[in-house]
Amino acid sequence: MAPERDPTIRVAAMPADANPYGDIFGGWLMGQMDLAAGSVASRHSGGRAVTIAVDAMKFHAPVLVGDEVSVYATLVAVGNTSMTIDVEAWRRARHVDESCKVTQARFVFVATDDDRQPRRVPPLTDMRRDFAA
């Protein structure tokens, strides 16, 4: 069952994002997850943040052309300049209510200043931080 909150981003999978068999490219899906994680990182840090690592990327099921993809991103840890964000992607066929988790990963971002040098970020509160669109 999908998380009971609004997704960080939601997008429809289009034919240009698919291979000849109609399955969406893993790179496209990873890009959507990176966008969602980047949104969370930028909001938490109050500015520019860049991806430095992606850990534990797992693909559970395919995404098909026309599916609605909802991406949920949760800030789970903060260092001096870094932020760790857990991300899940869920698919839903266009004409049904049922959805399933298709991908999950952990993204690490570093906040940077105008000179693209690392900068400090605010601490994480006691609970996880969920950001929705």
Side-chain angles (χ1 to χ4, degrees):
M1 187 166 161
E4 292 187 15
R5 65 181 195 272
D6 289 336
T8 308
I9 63 172
R10 181 176 284 147
V11 63
M14 302 300 286
D17 307 316
N19 64 26
Y21 303 105
D23 297 328
I24 297 302
F25 291 119
W28 177 86
L29 189 54
M30 185 176 182
Q32 300 305 310
M33 295 170 74
D34 193 33
L35 287 170
S39 177
V40 170
S42 292
R43 288 173 71 183
H44 180 76
S45 68
R48 180 184 175 88
V50 297
T51 310
I52 62 163
V54 180
D55 294 327
M57 187 84 175
K58 294 180 184 173
F59 292 92
H60 302 287
V63 175
L64 308 177
V65 170
D67 284 351
E68 177 184 272
V69 177
S70 296
V71 183
Y72 300 87
T74 304
L75 180 64
V76 295
V78 172
N80 289 327
T81 62
S82 66
M83 295 156 284
T84 302
I85 300 148
D86 282 347
V87 183
E88 294 182 352
W90 290 70
R91 71 168 284 277
R92 184 184 65 80
R94 294 187 67 81
H95 304 292
V96 299
D97 290 330
E98 185 177 317
S99 61
C100 72
K101 182 165 54 171
V102 293
T103 313
Q104 67 186 64
R106 179 166 278 196
F107 285 74
V108 180
F109 279 73
V110 166
T112 59
D113 61 20
D114 291 340
D115 295 321
R116 292 180 166 72
Q117 296 301 306
R119 63 181 173 82
R120 294 187 70 79
V121 296
L124 182 63
T125 59
D126 291 339
M127 62 178 66
R128 290 180 173 205
R129 298 287 306 268
D130 298 324
F131 293 92

